[in-house]
């Protein structure tokens, strides 16, 4: 190796070590210190003791120093990509948490019923559902078994009149400035619901697929103390969604996977029409932004909630189109199931 190249590697190596040290001194970021020292030492060895890489190459049965250095460099670059990806994920999570906190803080959801039984809170995530949200809300009953019904709509980055129409229909409305997905919207709704110490929290879609007539059947087992978590199942009841064979097969497969991993007996793992004991929601560790259905089921099983599944009817959407691309949705479900199960 010529002198100029060795000097360049040496100077760059020293610079990397100094950068990592300065980052640690200023912000105490250990990862930056480790990266700076690792890169610096690697470059210094290449400049001062290149025979080190010959020895490494011998251990790896590589006869070329260039190939050895390239292999180590590519491995390090791969690790750096994973590191950058993790930083981006952490940043995205922090932004989402901040957005949710601001939404909760800026939403007024004073209880509309004084005294009496604890309320049944209906949490409805909505993304550009202006065409259907009002009709869903206006058909909600005022009470179920003497428990007042209070809807909370989370407008998840909608750019239509979803929030306005939900407010006009009398719902408490929280608005996300950016779209966070159904899971993020549910977590905002759960935070708002928790302020009212609800007897039951129900989640339902804003597109009209979940018939209001099924509400008493969902909440009754919880009010009677027979269950903590009640799921609706289109496969025990009636499925009018018009889903194709690919989507139906996918739902069956992921339901089978959840049952295998958690010793459950559910039949419809992606159904968003569910009721949860208000006192139990705080026990669930919810982190998923978009694919919340399997996370809720697995978390409920992990925390010993009594799960009951009942037959219900699922209708076609009243308006608009599904926002669930098939391939991405399938990959997201698989990732969520695995991560939730092993964490």
């Amino acid at each position: 190796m010529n002198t100029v190249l060795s000097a360049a590697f040496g100077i760059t190596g020293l610079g990397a070590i100094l950068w990592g040290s300065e980052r640690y001194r200023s912000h105490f970021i250990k990862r930056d210190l480790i990266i700076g020292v690792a890169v610096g030492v690697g470059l210094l060895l290449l400049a001062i003791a290149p025979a080190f890489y010959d020895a490494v190459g011998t251990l790896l049965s590589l006869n070329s120093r260039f190939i050895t250095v390239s292999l180590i460099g590519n491995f390090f670059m791969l690790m750096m990509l994973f590191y950058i990806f993790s930083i981006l994920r952490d940043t995205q999570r922090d932004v989402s948490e901040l957005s949710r906190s601001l939404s909760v803080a800026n939403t007024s959801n004073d209880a509309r019923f004084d005294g009496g039984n604890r309320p049944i809170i209906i949490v409805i995530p909505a993304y550009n559902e202006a065409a259907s949200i009002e009709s869903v809300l206006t058909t909600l009953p005022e009470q179920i078994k003497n428990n007042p019904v209070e809807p909370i709509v989370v407008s998840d980055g909608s750019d239509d009149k979803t929030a306005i129409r939900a407010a006009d229909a009398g719902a408490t409305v929280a608005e996300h400035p950016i779209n966070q997905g159904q899971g993020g919207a549910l977590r905002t709704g759960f935070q708002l619901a928790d302020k009212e110490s609800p007897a039951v929290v129900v989640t339902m879609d804003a597109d009209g697929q979940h018939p209001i007539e099924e509400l008493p059947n969902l909440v009754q087992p919880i009010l009677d103390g027979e269950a903590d978590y009640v799921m609706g199942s289109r496969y025990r009841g009636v499925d009018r969604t018009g889903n194709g064979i690919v989507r139906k097969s996918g739902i069956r497969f992921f339901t089978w996977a959840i049952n295998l991993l958690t010793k459950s007996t559910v039949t419809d793992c992606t159904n968003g029409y569910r009721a949860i004991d208000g006192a139990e929601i705080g026990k669930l560790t919810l982190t998923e932004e978009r694919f919340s259905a399997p996370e809720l089921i697995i978390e409920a099983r992990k925390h010993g909630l009594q799960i009951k599944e009942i037959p219900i009817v699922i209708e076609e959407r009243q308006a608009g189109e599904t926002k669930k691309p098939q391939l991405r949705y399938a990959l997201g479900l698989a990732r969520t199931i695995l991560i939730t199960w092993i964490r």
Side-chain angles (χ1 to χ4, degrees):
M1 186 181 301
N2 62 55
T3 304
V4 175
L5 195 57
S6 295
F9 283 138
I11 292 171
T12 304
L14 287 173
I17 293 173
L18 290 174
W19 172 82
S21 300
E22 182 60 27
R23 289 285 294 173
Y24 187 72
R25 289 173 59 207
S26 301
H27 305 286
F28 297 98
I29 302 176
K30 291 182 179 179
R31 287 180 297 187
D32 289 350
L33 176 63
I34 293 171
I35 290 171
V37 171
V39 172
V41 169
L43 291 173
L44 286 173
L45 285 171
L46 190 59
I48 299 171
F52 169 80
Y53 291 97
D54 295 335
V56 174
T58 300
L59 290 174
L60 298 176
S61 300
L62 300 174
N63 298 321
S64 169
R65 181 189 299 169
F66 175 78
I67 294 176
T68 302
V69 173
S70 298
L71 181 64
I72 294 174
N74 287 331
F75 176 78
F76 181 79
M77 287 299 296
L78 182 62
M79 293 299 101
M80 284 297 296
L81 286 175
F82 282 123
Y83 169 70
I84 293 171
F85 178 74
S86 70
I87 292 296
L88 291 175
R89 288 276 297 180
D90 290 345
T91 301
Q92 183 182 36
R93 188 177 299 113
D94 290 343
V95 170
S96 295
E97 289 291 347
L98 176 61
S99 175
R100 278 192 294 273
S101 297
L102 290 173
S103 296
V104 171
N106 292 330
T107 301
S108 175
N109 68 318
D110 297 330
R112 289 173 289 172
F113 298 89
D114 296 325
N117 294 331
R118 292 155 59 201
I120 295 171
I121 305 294
I122 314 294
V123 176
I124 307 176
Y127 174 57
N128 289 342
E129 299 288 1
S132 58
I133 186 64
E134 194 168 5
S135 63
V136 170
L137 291 169
T138 54
T139 55
L140 288 173
E142 291 189 1
Q143 294 186 350
I144 297 177
K145 301 293 183 180
N146 295 320
N147 294 83
V149 173
E150 299 184 27
I152 295 176
V153 174
V154 182
S155 179
D156 189 29
S158 300
D159 55 16
D160 62 0
K161 295 183 178 180
T162 295
I164 294 174
R165 292 184 178 174
D168 289 344
T172 296
V173 180
E175 292 193 69
H176 286 171
I178 56 176
N179 180 266
Q180 297 186 32
Q182 188 180 65
L186 285 178
R187 286 158 66 189
T188 296
F190 290 162
Q191 283 184 265
L192 290 168
D194 189 57
K195 293 182 178 182
E196 300 192 38
S197 301
V200 184
V201 176
V202 175
T203 71
M204 64 184 301
D205 291 349
D207 56 14
Q209 285 191 301
H210 297 157
I212 303 302
E213 296 78 14
E214 302 285 1
L215 265 176
N217 297 329
L218 277 174
V219 303
Q220 192 63 52
I222 295 176
L223 295 176
D224 291 343
E226 298 174 358
D228 305 307
Y229 187 111
V230 181
M231 303 171 51
S233 171
R234 77 196 88 183
Y235 299 120
R236 292 182 185 270
V238 180
D239 180 13
R240 296 175 181 159
T241 59
N243 287 331
I245 186 64
V246 173
R247 182 167 174 78
K248 287 182 178 179
S249 298
I251 293 172
R252 297 283 193 183
F253 171 77
F254 288 118
T255 299
W256 170 82
I258 289 175
N259 288 336
L260 177 67
L261 294 172
T262 64
K263 289 188 176 182
S264 300
T265 57
V266 301
T267 63
D268 192 358
C269 74
T270 64
N271 198 325
Y273 208 8
R274 64 180 73 85
I276 309 172
D277 189 323
E280 301 292 338
I281 286 184
K283 299 178 182 179
L284 309 182
T285 302
L286 304 177
T287 63
E288 182 54 45
E289 297 287 344
R290 300 194 177 275
F291 307 97
S292 58
E295 180 182 50
L296 282 163
I297 296 171
I298 296 172
E299 278 293 310
R301 284 285 293 126
K302 281 186 173 182
H303 289 83
L305 273 64
Q306 183 66 36
I307 298 176
K308 182 175 182 177
E309 193 175 50
I310 64 170
I312 62 170
V313 175
I314 300 295
E315 304 285 359
E316 286 187 291
R317 291 177 61 92
Q318 290 184 3
E321 298 179 352
T322 180
K323 302 172 181 68
K324 299 172 181 177
Q326 286 186 353
L327 180 59
R328 182 181 174 189
Y329 190 68
L331 293 174
L333 281 178
R335 175 187 58 79
T336 300
I337 291 170
L338 181 61
I339 291 177
T340 307
W341 182 62
I342 64 177
R343 73 185 177 198

